[in-house]
Amino acid sequence: MKMALNRRILLLILIPSVAISTLFVLWFGYTQISNDRQALDQQLLLSSERLQISLEFSLISQNKPLMLAIAQRALNENNVRSITILDGNGDKLVQVGPNPLAPFPTVLPADPLKLVSEGSFIYLTEAQHSGASLYAPENSMPIPSHWIALELSTDKLKVQQYHTVLVNLLLLLFTGAAATIAAIVVSNLVISPVTNLLQAVRKIVAGDFSVRVQDTPDAEMQELGAGVNNLVDALDRAHIDLQQGIDQATHDIRAMLETLEIQNIELEIARREAIDASRIKSEFLANMSHEIRTPLNGIIGFANLLIKTNMTRKQDDYARTIQSSSQSLLAIINDVLDFAKIEAGKLSLDMSTINLKASVEDVLVMIAPEAHKKQIELIPLYYHDVPEFVVGDPLRIKQVITNLVGNAVKFTSAGQVCVRVTLEGDFGNSVTIRISITDTGIGLDQAQQKALFNAFQQADTSTTREYGGTGLGLVISKKLVEQMGGDMGIDSEAGVGSTFWFTIRVDIAERDAAPANIALAHKTVVIHDANKTTQTALRRTLESFHLKVTETAQVSDWLATTQRIVPNYAIIGFKNTDDIGSGLHTGLADLAAKHICTLVLTNGFENSINMKLIEQYASGCLSKPFQTERLLQMLSTETFADNETQLKPLYQSGGRILAVDDNESNLKLICTLIEDTGIEAIAASSGAQAVDLVTEQDFDLILMDIQMPGMDGLEATKRIRDIRLKGRKRIPIIAVTAHALDSEREHLLRNGFDDYLTKPLSDANLIAAITKWTALSFEQSSFRAAPPKPTQLGEETVDTRAEAVVDIAMAMDRANYKADLAEDMFSSLVILLAKDQVDMQQSFADNDPKTLLELVHKLHGAAHYCGVPELKHRAEALEILLKTGKYQFTEKHLVALQEEMVKVIEWDSQHDFASEVAAQYPPKIV
């Protein structure tokens, strides 16, 4: 903080004056006090000498009265307090005055001694008898020694010192006051013109250039004032010049702004053109992807069909080459599309609750056939402290794991690939999970590792030629992992193997704890696996079921242990069929006889071998890598009757089923499901067409949609029942409806229908219905779909279940895992949504619930087959309200439905359905 000038002047004057005065006063006081003390010391010496001379005769003559009289007379001197005469032994001979304030030494000194006390000075000295020859008689005895102690009081000295200090303080105060008055006077003389100058400067700073500083009597201030006046004149001229410059600059800036505005318009036009070009490029890429995938899916599909036909070995080799090449091409297309999305920043994560452990196991099961071909064992190790249910993007997490495990299998010729899932960081509601994939493959040196995460590159050109690939997989995976808040890296050694790892930051899903499996708790199980790591993973999984696990090192030990402790379960795993000997067959048969449930883990054996083991020896068979949920299900049943082997239905010939639906996508799907069973499917897009077909042709079964324009399903069924089918049996008619209330179901059964099926229609439900209502027979299907649970909605509550906008897995399931069919149905749905939005709003505005119900019912039916769960729920809720006549709640549900319709349309504009399907259901890695 800056100090004012007047204060600085005061300090500059006062500080030296006060300092000099203080030093002078201190020096004067010190000198005066020292002089007073020296004077007292001098008096002490002189008085002591005079006293010795006076006492010399009395001391020699030993005359005490005379000593006393002389001492009494000396006591009257100024400052004398007491006089003491001591003999040679230190005893007092004479003392006048009060007792001395300081004690005498016990041994009398040879030299004079000065004793200082709080209030006096004592001078102790030995008496000198220089005139002894004058006073002593002849032939007398020697003169004894005497000491004289003269005590002077210091009280007067202290008073003089106090007086000196007081005088000095008064002198100091007077000097300070005089200096202060002088400083104030000088400060005022100096500050006054400065203050005037400062006020003038402030006005000048405020912009008043007319101010001038007046003349002052001081030459320096006058010169300063003249300088300020000259400066004001210069500022005034500069201000005028500056204003002219500002005006010119303003004119130039306006001209420049006009130019910039023109350039901005041109840049905006260029930007829009660039955006349009980018959009056109994206649309072209999406269209080309669709155009390429459509024939490519056909190539792959027909190659699969061709492989199943009877061909020569060379033809079979050609067909498999076509299949492998097509799948490789599809994988390349998927990688390029994902890379393009990532580079454009258009790839978004679809977060949902996932079972991470099941996702890892699903990926390994998908890649297992390729690994088994090379005798590679896939092993999942999911550590117990890692939460199973987390919030993440299941599609992208699976994509990364699939890429890394696929690469590990690709570059490993023998051995194993182990996937470890560990907890790296716990942050309360969120965790960092580390997933590492370790293989026993070719490994990489340091130079090769540096090129791994570059686009369109692999470790070296030789591996590219030998193993194939675009070099995009790791780049895409790293970008995805970084988008999920993690990182990716590699630890590798050439010729030894590699460990690829990545981390993801995810939230822990809020789920109720799964109930403990009480049936398995504390039961015993004996296990053995040829691969020790697989055995460790199996042990940890079984211990999580609260089973008591006993491990064995050899097959013989496993057999012996099962004979000795008789466990509840016995599990054994093999690498290949060569490990299964006759001794094991005997042991398995013995365990079966003792009713011990035995599970055999196989490494991709042929189905015939699995079936032989299951039927003759073991209670069940499970392929490696085993899935935890599947293992738990099999152990819980204790019979293992339902194995992984899938039994396909016997295809029928001559059967014919009529499918009736006004929705083209639904009709196509139903016909595809029928044809997959080997039965001929006839399609009818309206009730009237169905009646005409029934009149002309014979059918084993009719699948009839209910709500159709013109002639609906009820009317068509009534007319078919009215037709007299001469010599022909009654045709079973099954209603296919998106949702049926209890009253509607009864109404359908009373009006000619034999049964009803609820959308979405699955092959398992279809086969069950065909088996029930026709003479066509099928073997037990591998699909066991539970009937969907009816939706319970409150009358005034909009269903707010958090579902994905588009569920690819559901769409593929509804299309029987036919990608092209799923894509066609979804595209048809999006086209329908754009039109239905307007029509529904118009029907509601026109107070036409009948038309609105038809539109909602049609949308509800289409939504069943397209993987849009939330849209399906919204349509279902609104349909229930319209059917039950609760129109007062219609508006709220209609708004919710239309909001979901907009979400589906927006999803379609931001995603490529075919790419999403290909990413979630990637082709086999080659």
Side-chain angles (χ1 to χ4, degrees), residues 103-123:
F104 299 142
T106 56
V107 178
L108 295 176
D111 298 323
L113 177 65
K114 181 180 179 180
L115 301 177
V116 180
S117 68
E118 180 67 25
S120 67
F121 293 159
I122 300 176
Y123 191 76

Side-chain angles (χ1 to χ4, degrees), residues 367-412:
I367 300 177
E370 188 69 22
H372 294 161
K373 289 180 183 179
K374 304 171 71 173
Q375 296 296 313
I376 297 172
E377 186 136 353
L378 299 180
I379 307 168
L381 281 176
Y382 200 99
Y383 286 71
H384 69 279
D385 58 342
V386 182
E388 289 190 21
F389 291 93
V390 298
V391 178
D393 188 329
L395 172 63
R396 298 306 177 184
I397 292 176
K398 282 187 176 181
Q399 182 178 352
V400 175
I401 299 174
T402 300
N403 181 272
L404 296 181
V405 177
N407 283 344
V409 173
K410 182 194 300 185
F411 295 103
T412 301

Side-chain angles (χ1 to χ4, degrees), residues 58-109:
S58 61
L59 293 175
I60 294 173
S61 59
Q62 300 290 320
N63 189 347
K64 286 186 177 181
L66 182 58
M67 293 180 193
L68 181 61
I70 295 172
Q72 287 286 356
R73 188 175 63 250
L75 189 63
N76 295 325
E77 293 185 13
N78 190 27
N79 294 326
V80 176
R81 183 176 181 276
S82 66
I83 298 174
T84 304
I85 300 174
L86 305 175
D87 60 12
N89 296 324
D91 295 330
K92 296 180 181 179
L93 296 177
V94 175
Q95 178 180 340
V96 294
N99 291 328
L101 296 178
F104 299 142
T106 56
V107 178
L108 295 176

Side-chain angles (χ1 to χ4, degrees), residues 415-435:
Q416 67 181 31
V417 174
C418 182
V419 180
R420 290 180 173 85
V421 184
T422 58
L423 185 65
E424 187 168 273
D426 190 346
F427 308 98
N429 293 330
S430 64
V431 293
T432 298
I433 297 176
R434 181 186 179 100
I435 301 177

Side-chain angles (χ1 to χ4, degrees), residues 607-646:
N607 282 341
S608 59
I609 297 176
N610 287 341
M611 290 301 298
K612 184 176 180 180
L613 287 172
I614 293 169
E615 293 174 358
Q616 296 184 7
Y617 303 109
S619 305
C621 183
L622 193 62
S623 293
K624 299 180 190 178
F626 62 85
Q627 293 176 284
T628 302
E629 188 64 26
R630 179 62 177 155
L631 177 63
L632 177 60
Q633 290 175 355
M634 297 188 73
L635 293 177
S636 299
T637 60
E638 297 192 357
T639 61
F640 308 150
D642 180 18
N643 292 283
E644 289 187 319
T645 306
Q646 296 182 353

Side-chain angles (χ1 to χ4, degrees), residues 775-792:
L776 304 175
S777 61
F778 300 87
E779 292 186 4
Q780 183 181 8
S781 173
S782 61
F783 301 97
R784 293 180 173 84
K789 297 180 180 180
T791 304
Q792 299 294 333

Side-chain angles (χ1 to χ4, degrees), residues 35-303:
N35 292 337
D36 292 342
R37 187 181 184 90
Q38 290 177 1
L40 187 63
D41 290 340
Q42 187 68 26
Q43 180 186 357
L44 184 63
L45 292 174
L46 294 175
S47 297
S48 178
E49 291 177 358
R50 287 196 302 269
L51 184 60
Q52 286 190 46
I53 296 171
S54 300
L55 291 173
E56 183 176 7
F57 174 77
S58 61
L59 293 175
I60 294 173
S61 59
Q62 300 290 320
N63 189 347
K64 286 186 177 181
L66 182 58
M67 293 180 193
L68 181 61
I70 295 172
Q72 287 286 356
R73 188 175 63 250
L75 189 63
N76 295 325
E77 293 185 13
N78 190 27
N79 294 326
V80 176
R81 183 176 181 276
S82 66
I83 298 174
T84 304
I85 300 174
L86 305 175
D87 60 12
N89 296 324
D91 295 330
K92 296 180 181 179
L93 296 177
V94 175
Q95 178 180 340
V96 294
N99 291 328
L101 296 178
F104 299 142
T106 56
V107 178
L108 295 176
D111 298 323
L113 177 65
K114 181 180 179 180
L115 301 177
V116 180
S117 68
E118 180 67 25
S120 67
F121 293 159
I122 300 176
Y123 191 76
L124 179 63
T125 183
E126 184 178 4
Q128 303 294 327
H129 302 301
S130 57
S133 58
L134 297 177
Y135 304 118
E138 296 183 358
N139 300 323
S140 62
M141 294 296 292
I143 300 172
S145 299
H146 295 89
W147 276 264
I148 301 173
L150 176 63
E151 182 181 23
L152 297 184
S153 174
T154 61
D155 292 340
K156 291 184 178 180
L157 177 63
K158 289 181 179 179
V159 171
Q160 291 177 354
Q161 289 176 345
Y162 291 151
H163 179 266
T164 301
V165 171
L166 179 61
V167 171
N168 289 337
L169 288 176
L170 292 175
L171 180 62
L172 180 62
L173 291 175
F174 174 77
T175 305
T180 302
I181 294 171
I184 293 173
V185 173
V186 173
S187 174
N188 290 333
L189 292 176
V190 176
I191 291 300
S192 179
V194 173
T195 302
N196 295 333
L197 180 62
L198 180 60
Q199 292 176 353
V201 170
R202 287 174 179 172
K203 293 180 180 180
I204 295 170
V205 171
D208 185 2
F209 297 114
S210 62
V211 176
R212 295 295 183 271
V213 179
Q214 302 299 322
D215 293 337
T216 58
D218 299 327
E220 292 81 0
M221 297 302 298
Q222 187 174 1
E223 184 177 356
L224 181 60
V228 171
N229 291 336
N230 293 333
L231 179 61
V232 173
D233 294 336
L235 288 175
D236 192 14
R237 291 192 298 270
H239 177 71
I240 295 173
D241 295 339
L242 179 61
Q243 186 62 43
Q244 292 175 353
I246 290 174
D247 294 340
Q248 182 63 38
T250 302
H251 180 270
D252 295 341
I253 290 173
R254 286 176 180 174
M256 185 182 298
L257 288 176
E258 292 177 358
T259 304
L260 289 176
E261 187 174 358
I262 295 173
Q263 292 179 352
N264 287 337
I265 294 173
E266 293 175 349
L267 289 174
E268 179 64 20
I269 294 173
R271 187 184 70 84
R272 292 180 181 178
E273 291 176 351
I275 293 174
D276 291 339
S278 176
R279 178 180 54 80
I280 293 172
K281 183 189 72 173
S282 300
E283 292 176 356
F284 172 76
L285 190 61
N287 292 334
M288 287 304 298
S289 169
H290 177 75
E291 295 299 328
I292 294 174
R293 276 200 186 90
T294 300
L296 192 57
N297 285 330
I299 294 172
I300 295 174
F302 281 101

